[in-house]
Amino acid sequence: MENIHNQIWGEELVSLDWLMLERVFQKTSRMLMYLGGAGLMLMMLNVTLDVFLKAVFNFPIQGTVEISSYYYMVAVVLLPLAFVEYEDSNINVDLIYNLLPALAQTICRFVAYALTVAVLSAVAWRTGIDAVHSFQIGEVVMGSREVIVWPARCILPFSFALAAFASLLKAVQLFRGEDSRQTPSRADAS
């Protein structure tokens, strides 16, 4: 009877749920990275077309600077954030880290993940408050034409929350001993 209970509610089910959660998160973060790349391509196309139309026909695309600043750049920088965090693709300075024993390296990484979750969660919360306020007032910017910017404000808390979740997943992986990052030995560092 206990074996059936473990099969239904035990380790197998937790592992299956965990793997499914990881796969969904990986696919979502990868899709957001591609959307960020698409934003980069759209920004490049928009700016190039604006410059061409202005130079050749003296007819620039109205709002290019505002749309690039408030939509494209936000998407390019923030949508891939969860993917970058999950893949450990951030810039690392590990001058002292590589000299530490393996256990100390693991502890440092766990503390770093925990701090990252805390900071990114706080930033997500604050930018979420700002996004709600921006929505409530119907925030716009005035440039060569009026551009609605409150939808772009929603990208910030969404991206920061997903990046915090990525760090949380990495911390849980590390705790479970499933971390994919290899801890270099001292011999490898020299």
Side-chain angles (χ1 to χ4, degrees):
M1 184 70 168
E2 185 176 317
N3 191 20
I4 293 172
H5 181 270
N6 283 343
Q7 288 177 348
I8 295 173
W9 301 106
E11 189 69 28
E12 292 84 9
L13 185 62
V14 171
S15 293
L16 181 64
D17 288 344
W18 176 253
L19 286 173
M20 188 171 66
L21 178 67
E22 278 184 307
R23 286 190 181 129
V24 168
F25 181 80
Q26 287 173 343
K27 287 181 181 185
T28 302
S29 64
R30 186 173 299 276
M31 179 197 64
L32 290 172
M33 180 195 58
Y34 289 137
L35 282 174
L40 183 64
M41 299 301 286
L42 286 171
M43 180 172 55
M44 189 172 55
L45 179 67
N46 189 307
V47 170
T48 302
L49 190 58
D50 179 52
V51 169
F52 174 77
L53 290 174
K54 183 174 181 172
V56 174
F57 300 108
N58 196 24
F59 188 73
I61 299 173
Q62 299 294 313
T64 296
V65 171
E66 292 80 11
I67 291 171
S68 294
S69 300
Y70 286 95
Y71 283 94
Y72 295 141
M73 288 186 189
V74 171
V76 166
V77 171
L78 292 175
L79 289 180
L81 192 60
F83 180 80
V84 169
E85 184 63 37
Y86 188 76
E87 296 293 323
D88 280 328
S89 296
N90 292 311
I91 296 172
N92 295 314
V93 178
D94 49 13
L95 184 65
I96 297 172
Y97 176 83
N98 288 335
L99 301 175
L100 297 173
L103 179 61
Q105 288 181 357
T106 301
I107 291 169
C108 285
R109 288 186 27 234
F110 187 80
V111 169
Y113 289 141
L115 288 172
T116 301
V117 169
V119 170
L120 288 174
S121 296
V123 173
W125 177 260
R126 182 62 225 179
T127 57
I129 291 170
D130 293 342
V132 168
H133 177 71
S134 181
F135 169 74
Q136 289 172 337
I137 64 170
E139 185 177 8
V140 296
V141 293
M142 293 299 295
S144 57
R145 96 176 272 170
E146 185 177 279
V147 176
I148 299 169
V149 295
W150 67 262
R153 300 276 190 225
C154 297
I155 295 173
L156 280 77
F158 175 73
S159 295
F160 287 125
L162 277 179
F165 188 68
S167 286
L168 180 63
L169 284 176
K170 296 300 283 184
V172 170
Q173 285 177 342
L174 186 63
F175 185 74
R176 290 173 55 120
E178 300 170 354
D179 192 33
S180 59
R181 183 172 161 184
Q182 297 294 326
T183 306
S185 66
R186 286 189 196 184
D188 294 339
S190 28

